[in-house]
Amino acid sequence: MMSSSPYEPGRDPLSPNCNLAPITTELDAQSRLIVGGCQLSELAECYGTPLYVLDEATLRAACQSYRGALQRHYPGPSLPIYASKANSSLMMSSLVASEGFGLDVVSAGELLTALKGGVPGDCIVLHGNNKSDQELLLAYRNGVTIVADNQHDLDRLSQLVPVGADPAKLMLRFTPGIECHTHEYIRTGHLDSKFGFDPDQLESVLNQLLGCRWARLTGLHAHIGSQIFELEPHQDLADVMAGALQLARRLGHPVMDLNVGGGLGVRYVSSDDPPSIDNWVKVVAEAVNQACRSRNLDLPRLMCEPGRSLVAAAGVTLYRVGSRKTIPGLRTYLSVDGGMSDNPRPITYQSLYTACLADRPLASPDETITLVGKHCESGDVLLKDLALPYASSGDVLVVFATGAYNVSMSSNYNRIPRPAAVLVHSGHSELVQRREQPEDLLRYDVMPERFLALG
């Protein structure tokens, strides 16, 4: 196992979010990188590049860490829910369901993926600040809990649920007014957010729902953001939510679910120092327990929604090195065969990553380069100031901790096909997403007949 390199698996094998690499990462006899028992450069040769690689053991370890921590630290019932926007697929839905997780979705596409992946409807919650009638009906007909984000959700559901039919299961989302230190685009708990009812609307909305036969309010939801390393905001959130729970029950709502969202950060570079899964769950569980006990409230079912912290460290992305451009005294650009279409986070959030060569991970660096993609965009930069041994055209490069928000945010910018994805375990690899082909990108194009006539 690697111990002295910048991509070492981490300090806590039971908490993959603290790792830079999958927990199965090791070196073979020739010091080449192996994940899940599979040599990475061989995967690149077999499946092509760019290639998303997911390690099953790391995924399952993260799931088991959450479930075990909830059982240890929370005396009431609990249900962890996978935030599937981090990486939505049939395989991921099936895997997390097999580990006892529910799943949250934000679109008809994610909902269908969850259902087809074997997640029961009553273990799914539907989020979103502008749900369509199609999405609301699909959720209602499959017994999915709908997170009411605003008055528009309530108005549409009141028209869509048939008179005399079973009521829609609702969870009410509100903004708790809690700030945390993270990128402004992924802060959701402060008052200036597009998500959720304002806290001063809560009582009036709860009163509005009392006489609605089409709805049954069973839960409350709040979320403070993503990629968070602080623990204090989660303690504050528990107190705010317990107060809301007390109000809802006093007004007569049978609220038994308290959903505190997710947001636990992960380690992208060696200087990152996120809390462990166990520590995060312990702080949240004890805070909810204390806040409810101090108000003489029966403990609700505690729900949390990890996404990034479940899947980020399980994934690596493989690229092949292509061209280079050296500007003497200034910079060397090293290009790979992917970039912003398969990982838009650097250009969107200025996100940082760790990378190395698949077959020479321990070699001493010869140069400092700027790693760029192949897209026609000056901002298509994956990593700046990356120290590497000299890389030749055709070498396989590995970027770590790409399991979250890479495949799910990928695009066809410049009409570049999306990569394939494989799952690795015990020396075996399985295709979980086929590689797009250029002709696939024409599937939904329609040529007007008058243009054909001109030809």
Side-chain angles (χ1 to χ4, degrees), residues 351-407:
S351 301
L352 303 177
Y353 284 90
T354 300
C356 71
L357 296 179
D359 286 345
R360 290 183 285 153
L362 300 182
S364 298
D366 298 318
E367 58 182 354
T368 298
I369 58 95
T370 294
L371 190 72
V372 297
K374 64 177 293 177
H375 303 80
C376 190
E377 191 77 41
S378 296
D380 183 19
V381 176
L382 288 172
L383 288 95
K384 295 179 180 179
D385 300 324
L386 175 64
L388 279 182
Y390 188 89
S392 300
S393 179
D395 283 347
V396 176
L397 186 133
V398 186
V399 179
F400 294 90
T402 59
Y405 300 109
N406 282 242
V407 61

Side-chain angles (χ1 to χ4, degrees), residues 58-298:
T58 303
L59 292 170
R60 292 193 183 277
C63 290
Q64 291 161 16
S65 293
Y66 270 104
R67 284 197 59 84
L70 284 166
Q71 291 167 2
R72 283 191 300 275
H73 300 303
Y74 190 65
S78 63
L79 177 65
I81 296 174
Y82 171 55
S84 70
K85 67 175 183 173
N87 191 325
S88 177
S89 70
L90 293 174
M91 180 278 295
M92 280 299 303
S93 298
S94 178
L95 186 148
V96 297
S98 73
E99 293 291 345
F101 271 61
L103 194 140
D104 92 44
V105 300
V106 297
S107 68
E110 287 184 355
L111 177 50
L112 282 172
T113 302
L115 293 169
K116 296 285 187 181
V119 185
D122 60 3
C123 291
I124 301 174
V125 297
L126 172 67
H127 285 283
N129 67 298
N130 192 28
K131 306 176 189 71
S132 68
D133 286 3
Q134 175 198 20
E135 289 164 337
L136 291 170
L137 281 171
L138 182 64
Y140 170 72
R141 290 167 178 166
N142 284 280
V144 170
T145 297
I146 298 169
V147 181
D149 195 271
N150 47 53
Q151 187 62 43
H152 182 264
D153 281 347
L154 301 180
D155 292 343
R156 295 309 306 143
L157 280 168
S158 69
Q159 300 298 312
L160 294 171
V161 176
V163 176
D166 291 336
K169 294 186 293 183
L170 293 187
M171 187 175 289
L172 199 64
R173 177 170 185 169
F174 67 99
T175 51
I178 295 172
E179 294 280 356
C180 55
H181 293 96
T182 188
H183 194 284
E184 62 177 311
Y185 293 170
I186 51 179
R187 287 199 301 262
T188 59
H190 57 299
L191 295 178
D192 186 8
S193 170
K194 74 172 186 175
F195 297 106
F197 288 94
D198 288 340
D200 59 4
Q201 295 177 292
L202 193 56
E203 185 167 2
S204 64
V205 173
L206 289 170
N207 278 318
Q208 172 191 342
L209 288 172
L210 279 175
C212 297
R213 295 185 177 181
W214 55 267
R216 184 171 184 266
L217 183 65
T218 61
L220 297 171
H221 176 276
H223 183 62
I224 60 175
S226 185
Q227 187 58 2
I228 301 170
F229 288 5
E230 305 162 277
L231 291 175
E232 183 179 352
H234 298 286
Q235 294 174 312
D236 298 337
L237 176 63
D239 191 65
V240 170
M241 294 199 72
L245 176 64
Q246 184 178 39
L247 173 63
R249 287 181 178 176
R250 178 170 59 81
L251 292 176
H253 290 286
V255 173
M256 285 307 299
D257 289 336
L258 206 63
N259 188 332
V260 298
L264 174 60
V266 306
R267 195 175 180 211
Y268 286 113
V269 294
S270 58
S271 59
D272 287 339
D273 188 23
S276 69
I277 291 171
D278 186 80
N279 197 18
W280 185 87
V281 170
K282 182 175 186 291
V283 167
V284 171
E286 290 181 351
V288 170
N289 186 26
Q290 180 179 352
C292 289
R293 296 300 189 197
S294 68
R295 293 171 171 83
N296 294 315
L297 297 172
D298 290 338

Side-chain angles (χ1 to χ4, degrees), residues 422-442:
V422 296
L423 183 71
V424 294
H425 181 69
S426 301
H428 300 284
S429 62
E430 299 168 284
L431 191 68
V432 295
Q433 177 177 291
R434 294 186 183 91
R435 182 177 304 280
E436 283 184 336
Q437 301 300 320
E439 54 268 26
D440 293 331
L441 306 183
L442 304 179

